[in-house]
Amino acid sequence: MKLRSVAACLVVLGVLIAVAGGQGKENRAKKPVGARKKLRENVPRKANRPQNARPNAVNKKPNGKKVQTAEAQGNGGDCEEIFLPMCKGLVPYTHTKLPNQFNHTTQLEVYKHIEHTWAYMDHSCSNNMRLTICALYLPKCQGKQAGIGPCKTTCLRAKKNCGQQLKEIFALNWQEKFECAPLPNKRCVKPVKDEPCSQEYPSCESNSVITTCANLTFTWGTLPNMFGQCRAKDINIEVSHFDALVATNCHLNLKFFLCGVYSPFCVRAETPFMFPCKEICNEIRQACEPHYRRIYHRLPWPNKLQCHRYPSSEDPDVKCVMPNEGSTFFGG
């Protein structure tokens, strides 16, 4: 009887142990839902990324800083009319969209970066020289889309016609300054037809074709001028930039000065390139610069009108011209 009681107790004890063991496994396998959720929240997760997403494309500025391309920038700001004198009216489009590929957000900022290339643009080797530079820094506006820059063919045509000449004159290293290879072949500003100069060397020409010289006593000037500009059409477009300044009447001799800058005077029995004197330049700048900055979106006084370029009336070696000397001039 005692043996049966002991056996029964052992059976019951075994069942209890088995049940307890099963509950332990179940408790270990199933954690509370809240605990699992809390655990997941503490694990860092990768940010969701669209399937076709890719990092923003970047280019390098000349100074080595990375900047976003037009693709990465999106559509940028609104279209705005070009007012920089080295590009306005001289390229086959009138409006630009900023920021450009160098992240310049205003035309004033662009001006500071391309003013030193003005001489390259003016050189008569190719109309595509100006177009390449202007389109790089002032991309053509295309409505809501991002602005477009020059085509590779535009750059290559400028390089073909200007590369060697600009190297000889300005020691320009084309590859360091302008690289054509990365430029696109589609959705870009196409090259324009080049117009060669009718005269290769400076000579005295009637300056009646230069609008700012009209009604002056100085009737002969020099073309190509000291900037290498040989086409009266291009000179007139650029000089028209100053029409609003002339209209202020800031100085009586402003038109005389502009005429002498863009079509240097010719004197009887003298060589070409007789420039206005530094003294009249200083007078005009002092009187007109505040008006210029007010009218032209705070642009600085133009590089071409900087007075250090012009000889002094006291210089015994280099002659210059004052407004009251018209009777001594060839054809005057």
Side-chain angles (χ1 to χ4, degrees):
M1 186 71 178
K2 289 182 179 180
L3 290 174
R4 289 180 182 176
S5 299
V6 171
C9 289
L10 290 174
V11 170
V12 172
L13 182 61
V15 171
L16 291 174
I17 292 173
V19 171
Q23 288 177 343
K25 289 180 181 179
E26 184 177 353
N27 288 338
R28 286 195 300 272
K30 293 184 179 181
K31 290 189 177 181
V33 175
R36 292 202 306 272
K37 184 176 181 181
K38 187 173 182 180
L39 181 64
R40 286 198 301 269
E41 288 175 350
N42 291 332
V43 176
R45 289 179 290 178
K46 293 183 179 180
N48 292 332
R49 185 175 174 182
Q51 186 175 358
N52 297 325
R54 58 180 179 177
N56 285 341
V58 296
N59 278 339
K60 287 188 177 180
K61 287 178 68 173
N63 62 9
K65 293 182 180 179
K66 291 183 178 180
V67 295
Q68 291 183 331
T69 61
E71 178 185 1
Q73 292 167 7
N75 294 336
D78 296 328
C79 295
E80 56 185 271
E81 186 174 359
I82 294 171
F83 60 79
L84 300 191
M86 64 280 288
C87 299
K88 181 180 179 180
L90 296 167
V91 293
Y93 59 95
T94 59
H95 287 70
T96 185
K97 177 175 278 193
L98 297 173
N100 59 21
Q101 64 172 316
F102 308 112
N103 274 344
H104 301 148
T105 57
T106 66
Q107 291 192 54
L108 179 59
E109 188 177 2
V110 169
Y111 183 88
K112 293 175 181 178
H113 284 84
I114 69 172
E115 185 182 23
H116 71 282
T117 68
W118 204 341
Y120 308 154
M121 301 186 207
D122 283 341
H123 200 276
S124 301
C125 52
S126 174
N127 293 343
N128 290 292
M129 186 74 246
R130 185 185 307 275
L131 183 56
T132 296
I133 298 173
C134 290
L136 274 173
Y137 287 86
L138 293 173
K140 180 181 179 181
C141 182
Q142 288 288 91
K144 294 182 179 180
Q145 301 179 32
I148 61 174
C151 295
K152 182 189 295 186
T153 52
T154 307
C155 180
L156 289 174
R157 192 169 297 183
K159 179 181 180 181
K160 178 182 177 181
N161 294 331
C162 297
Q164 186 59 36
Q165 292 187 42
L166 296 182
K167 181 178 181 180
E168 294 172 358
I169 298 171
F170 302 107
L172 172 68
N173 185 319
W174 188 278
Q175 288 302 114
E176 289 182 0
K177 199 69 182 176
F178 311 106
E179 191 173 356
C180 301
L183 297 177
N185 292 313
K186 296 181 179 179
R187 196 178 176 273
C188 51
V189 179
K190 297 180 180 179
V192 295
K193 183 179 179 181
D194 281 320
E195 302 175 44
C197 286
S198 58
Q199 66 271 29
E200 184 177 357
Y201 301 103
S203 61
C204 290
E205 306 281 341
S206 171
N207 63 15
S208 61
V209 294
I210 309 299
T211 54
T212 194
C213 299
N215 302 320
L216 296 180
T217 56
F218 308 93
T219 58
W220 292 83
T222 309
L223 289 178
N225 61 24
M226 68 169 171
F227 310 116
Q229 295 170 296
C230 66
R231 291 178 289 273
K233 177 185 70 173
D234 294 342
I235 294 173
N236 282 331
I237 290 173
E238 187 172 322
V239 173
S240 69
H241 171 76
F242 299 101
D243 286 351
L245 185 65
V246 172
T248 66
N249 295 314
C250 57
H251 197 284
L252 178 64
N253 293 309
L254 176 57
K255 291 184 69 174
F256 159 83
F257 178 61
L258 291 172
C259 179
V261 168
Y262 283 92
S263 181
F265 305 115
C266 283
V267 178
R268 181 181 290 109
E270 297 286 348
T271 57
F273 289 117
M274 295 290 291
F275 296 105
C277 295
K278 181 185 293 185
E279 288 78 3
I280 191 66
C281 176
N282 286 330
E283 281 185 24
I284 290 171
R285 178 171 183 175
Q286 184 176 3
C288 297
E289 185 173 13
H291 298 278
Y292 184 87
R293 293 183 66 86
R294 173 178 56 82
I295 295 170
Y296 300 105
H297 310 273
R298 304 191 310 279
L299 287 179
W301 189 249
N303 182 274
K304 291 183 177 183
L305 307 187
Q306 297 289 338
C307 298
H308 70 271
R309 289 178 172 273
Y310 305 104
S312 170
S313 60
E314 298 178 356
D315 190 330
D317 300 319
V318 183
K319 293 183 179 180
C320 63
V321 181
M322 293 295 283
N324 58 355
E325 297 175 345
S327 61
T328 67
F329 280 69
F330 183 38

